[in-house]
Amino acid sequence: MTDTRKDILWRVYLVYFLMLVFGISIIAKIVYIQIKEGDDLVEKAETQELKVFELEANRGNIMDISHNLLATSVPVFEVRFDVSSPLISTELLNSKIDSVSNGLSKILDMPSGTIKRNIQKARKRGNRYMLIGRHITYSQLKKIKQLPIFRQGKYKGGLIAIQKTHRALPYKNLAARTIGYTIEQEDLYVGLEGAYADVLKGTNGSMMMRRINHGDWIPVHDDNEIEPCDGRDLVTTIDVDIQDIAETALLHQLKTNKAFQGCAVVMEVETGHITAIANLRYDSSEDEYKESYNYALGESIEPGSTFKLASIITALDDGKVKLTDSLYTGEGYTRYYNRAMRDVHKIKNGRITVRDAFEHSSNVGISRMIVDSYKDNPSQFIEGLYDLNLNKPLDTKIAGEGIPYIKNPSDKKTWYGTSLPWMSIGYELTVTPLQTLTLYNSIANNGKMVKPMFVKEIREGNAVIESFDTEIIDDQIASQSTVDSCKSLLEGVVLRGTGRLTFRNSKFKIAGKTGTAQIAKNGSYNKSDYNGSFVGYFPADDPKYSMIVVINNPTAGKYYGGSVAAPAFKEIADNIYATKLALQEESLDDSTSFPVSHSTCYSENLKSILDIAGLDYESYIPAGSEWVKSNGSRDETSYREINFSEKTVPDVRGMKAKDAVYILEKSGLKTNISGRGRVIKQSIRPGSTASKYNHINLQLSTY
């Protein structure tokens, strides 16, 4: 009995001892944790409970030249309600719940009863992150903030608004590919959105948030919260009115000719501002044309006959030819080695001038001109093309620009005996449509080549942060006489050549060149795939805009540039003239439409007229005046003296032709006259520096 009792006591004591040791070890662990690991564990717990979230900045706007929005960030909010916040008493919630529910019902178009029940259920469950809506607009959010409880602010009102942004294009697909987009995760930076991503994106902010029940996060508003800084705005050179005109005309021609794709680009002659750039490609999956590829900028193509301008600039500037030189084209057929070259049809009797060859787009004539001039030194011709900057990208900052290719005789692997004649007519080389336009624009701009511009300003609110001036690529791509000759040729194409039929009824002068190029596929050409183009400028006597239209792979039967591209050019030019230029010219003409009584004339001639009328000329003409101009109203017969400077282009409007010619020749200008009577229009603005020009065109009052 005694032994049994001792055995039991021993076991009890052992259990007590083990429990004591276990208790002491727990206490020791607690002390150790408190002293050694406490700070680390507290920090870890807080880290798990709190997290910094990034607040996305609003992306800057992209605007047209008149500040119409082309792309903008529309704020969209996810709105929640901390309905169980300790700062919102039960009494307050109960007294205002009907007002809140009715207000939300009107704003969000939801049943007020449903909203009220959801708020009551959320309060009972202790929900501090009740969802009100995921796609709340900014205007809706402003109204929600004015409701009872919510109007007390973000701390006491329990309203949680998490801002997100959606990129919107107010004009939908208008210039969509040039406006572009960015997808940072895929490293995609397209168009102006991509080129100016750093300017547009702004600086993100940050907000501390706490995790609550169900893994939801709510904001912790403290002094460490950083508001996002919105991106800056781009003011582009695009004019939405001209852009709409260009896209409408291009789409019409693409559909009419059942073409695969095309582009139309309009540039301001003096500034290089791209006022419109339309790129449309057929999407067979949706059976419609879409702005899915920047053909004008990204496609380096064989231009065909529009390249003949570069050939003739080079030959004229090198002194190899004159416009009156004779060329023999025979039946419109020739061969270079074993390769045949043809014209569309025989021109005249086969004996034509350089002017004829260009205006009627003779492949045989232009190629013979270049081969005869450069066969012994083809490198000189290529250097001439390089001098026109046709071998260099334009570097417009927009990614994806097509790389031009002008091969050189030094490359024996690519240079053939047929290269020189075929390059002269726009084959065996590639340039982008935008490069071709830049060359033609330089002729309209009296030889000054300017870089195409897409962005005019960077703004922050109403403040201009940075403005961009026109970049000059080359002050003078050729001599003034060469430029003047090329102007004459381009006008001749429209008056007498391949552009005559399309533009025969035009109300204003257009200058340009047609182009038709076979498209190479798998290293060979066929007679079913073509690019048709027209490039030029208008009004020809005082160029304001240059333009190129390219129609790629038309399949409805027509494929010549004069048939498929020129009509779109005319439609765009007519609409621009009607909306942008006609009023300007009307204003200019109204102020300078001179009847006889308001004319400028040589004083001695006027004296004779006054003598015949029996009037004392000394009463009307200031003494010693050589040239005079009438004053005042149509019925007034007084005159004032005027003087002309030989350094500037005089204002000869209202003068008789012989007087105008006399004055202009004293300024060193040769005159081309159209019509009879008095001068009503001159091609160079009065006051311009006379030394910049060789020729001036005068339009007289009658034809």
Side-chain angles (χ1 to χ4, degrees), residues 56-62 71-74 165 167 181-182 184 189-190 192-202 229-233:
E56 185 180 358
N58 282 325
R59 197 170 178 83
N61 298 319
I62 298 179
T72 187
S73 289
V74 178
T165 57
R167 200 63 168 165
Y181 56 87
T182 62
E184 292 186 7
Y189 297 89
V190 176
L192 294 172
E193 291 273 18
Y196 292 87
D198 291 340
V199 173
L200 292 163
K201 72 179 182 180
C229 181
D230 292 343
R232 291 173 173 174
D233 299 332

Side-chain angles (χ1 to χ4, degrees), residues 73 95 186 271 352 360 370 379 393 397 412 483 535 643 670:
S73 289
S95 65
E186 299 180 22
T271 63
I352 64 175
H360 294 275
I370 295 301
S379 294
K397 285 196 71 174
K412 304 302 180 184
V483 171
V535 55
N643 295 300
K670 295 181 180 180

Side-chain angles (χ1 to χ4, degrees), residues 622-683:
S625 301
E626 183 179 9
W627 295 90
V628 293
K629 184 175 182 178
S630 64
N631 283 316
S633 67
R634 188 178 293 267
D635 297 324
E636 190 171 333
T637 53
S638 64
Y639 291 82
R640 59 186 171 85
E641 181 182 10
I642 58 172
N643 295 300
F644 297 106
S645 169
E646 294 181 4
K647 294 183 179 180
T648 59
V649 177
D651 187 352
V652 298
R653 292 168 295 184
M655 298 176 72
K656 290 183 177 180
K658 66 176 184 178
D659 290 339
V661 171
Y662 173 77
I663 290 292
L664 291 167
E665 286 184 348
K666 288 184 68 175
S667 300
L669 295 167
K670 295 181 180 180
T671 55
N672 298 318
I673 298 175
S674 301
R676 293 177 298 164
R678 294 181 180 271
V679 178
I680 60 170
K681 188 179 292 185
Q682 60 188 76
S683 63

